[in-house]
Amino acid sequence: MHHLAQYTHTHVGSSQDAPIIVFDSGIGGLTVLREARVLMPDRHFIYVADDAGFPYGSWEEPALRERIVTLFAELIRRFHPQLCVIACNTASTLVLDDLRQAFPDTPFVGTVPAIKPAAERTHSGLVSVLATPGTVKRAYTRDLIQSFASQCHVRLVGADRLATLAEAHIRGEKIDDELVLEQITPCFIEQDGKRTDIVVLACTHYPFLANVFRRLAPWPVDWLDPAEAIARRMLSLLPEAKDKSLHHHEDLAVFTSGKPDYAIRRLLQGFGLRN
Ligand code: DGL
């Protein structure tokens, strides 16, 4: 893929030195990178956004599966990562198994809807999962509910606009409260004197909108963001960083469009990502 061709140097070295790829369709995975860096400040990260394919929420499954596996063949060849994090629910619920099969030497950590912790925490038994239309359609998501939340009433809410609104919000554009409210309203259920008390943020873009959600919500709920749990999972899979004095590579952002706009480039700089 020519948009990756400019990054010709690879980072093969001691495995501790090898990069960790954090992948999403857009900027949502930055919410995971942020937590990963808190736990692993010495590690070398490469943030990859398939912004040329954004949003993933509306893709047909076979085409999206093929696109992501092909992209990872290229990323693994170029960067020799020690770990890949699919910081995207829409992708993880579709291709995690395919990626593990296609690249058995590379460990993958996925981001899947936090249905199990929500089921453990809810008091009312009414839980909502706010995600892209792709994620709510997945067999993987239905299986999670069956396996871990069969005693709860789980409402799946497929929001077709929120990932794009999150991108706009983070670019500093004004977003329409009415539109956001329309997207989150189906999450709020009142039934037999009980109310939804947990909304799972099952798209990595949504934590960027958490304050807007809080402000607009018809009543307070726990907005469950799994980023910290994902970071802990990453840490558990990595060999211990023995040599803390290793030269730290500059972290890098790769956008498949090859041309993230000015606002995004500023955001990436704020995250300390060269692009
Ligand atoms: N950030 C992605 C997720 O976690 C999805 C955004 C999109 O491409 O629609 O599902």
Side-chain angles (χ1 to χ4, degrees):
M1 256 174 261
H2 81 278
H3 46 263
L4 295 175
Q6 54 182 306
Y7 303 102
T8 46
H9 59 290
T10 53
H11 301 279
V12 210
S14 73
S15 70
Q16 175 191 337
D17 207 19
I20 296 168
I21 288 182
V22 178
F23 172 80
D24 183 35
S25 55
I27 59 168
L30 293 172
T31 63
V32 175
L33 177 68
R34 188 164 63 185
E35 294 298 328
R37 279 201 174 134
V38 172
L39 287 188
M40 293 158 269
D42 301 324
R43 304 288 180 160
H44 173 212
F45 293 95
I46 297 179
Y47 187 76
V48 180
D50 183 13
D51 63 329
F54 179 86
Y56 273 1
S58 45
W59 276 70
E60 293 295 331
E61 294 190 350
L64 185 58
R65 187 181 282 125
E66 196 187 312
R67 180 181 179 89
I68 297 171
V69 173
T70 307
L71 179 60
F72 267 90
E74 183 68 7
L75 291 170
I76 288 170
R77 195 176 64 74
R78 293 252 178 224
F79 296 114
H80 300 273
Q82 59 174 316
L83 179 71
C84 294
V85 184
I86 309 302
C88 173
N89 294 261
T90 314
S92 294
T93 51
L94 180 68
V95 295
L96 212 45
D97 286 345
D98 301 270
L99 289 169
R100 287 181 176 136
Q101 256 173 39
F103 312 106
D105 298 331
T106 306
F108 284 87
V109 171
T111 313
V112 301
I115 288 165
K116 184 167 182 259
E120 286 162 2
R121 261 185 239 182
T122 177
H123 293 293
S124 68
L126 299 180
V127 167
S128 292
V129 177
L130 186 60
T132 66
T135 299
V136 306
K137 270 197 319 226
R138 304 273 188 260
Y140 194 112
T141 305
R142 313 264 161 175
D143 289 349
L144 282 177
I145 296 173
Q146 261 207 333
S147 310
F148 301 113
S150 53
Q151 75 288 11
C152 298
H153 180 282
V154 180
R155 153 113 15 133
L156 288 172
V157 178
D160 56 351
R161 306 283 296 275
L162 280 184
T164 305
L165 287 169
E167 296 250 342
H169 180 64
I170 221 68
R171 282 181 160 92
E173 291 165 27
K174 173 120 191 56
I175 58 170
D176 182 1
D177 279 357
E178 284 301 311
L179 202 52
V180 176
L181 187 59
E182 193 185 287
Q183 298 269 296
I184 65 170
T185 295
C187 294
F188 291 84
I189 300 174
E190 261 182 306
Q191 196 173 280
D192 305 326
K194 291 182 171 171
R195 285 171 156 185
T196 304
D197 61 353
I198 299 192
V199 177
V200 177
L201 297 176
C203 167
T204 52
H205 278 71
Y206 299 170
F208 282 132
L209 288 173
N211 285 333
V212 183
F213 293 164
R214 273 188 204 103
R215 178 166 56 78
L216 298 175
W219 59 81
V221 293
D222 189 0
W223 300 92
L224 199 68
D225 174 6
E228 198 193 321
I230 295 156
R232 280 200 302 272
R233 174 78 186 138
M234 291 164 68
L235 185 61
S236 76
L237 290 179
L238 290 170
E240 210 187 314
K242 290 197 189 73
D243 184 358
K244 301 258 184 204
S245 65
L246 265 181
H247 169 68
H248 184 63
H249 289 280
E250 197 179 20
D251 289 346
L252 184 71
V254 177
F255 276 56
T256 58
S257 68
K259 45 175 178 15
D261 64 23
Y262 178 70
I264 295 297
R265 289 204 311 273
R266 283 208 44 185
L267 174 73
L268 297 171
Q269 273 160 24
F271 270 82
L273 296 165
R274 181 165 63 84
N275 59 91

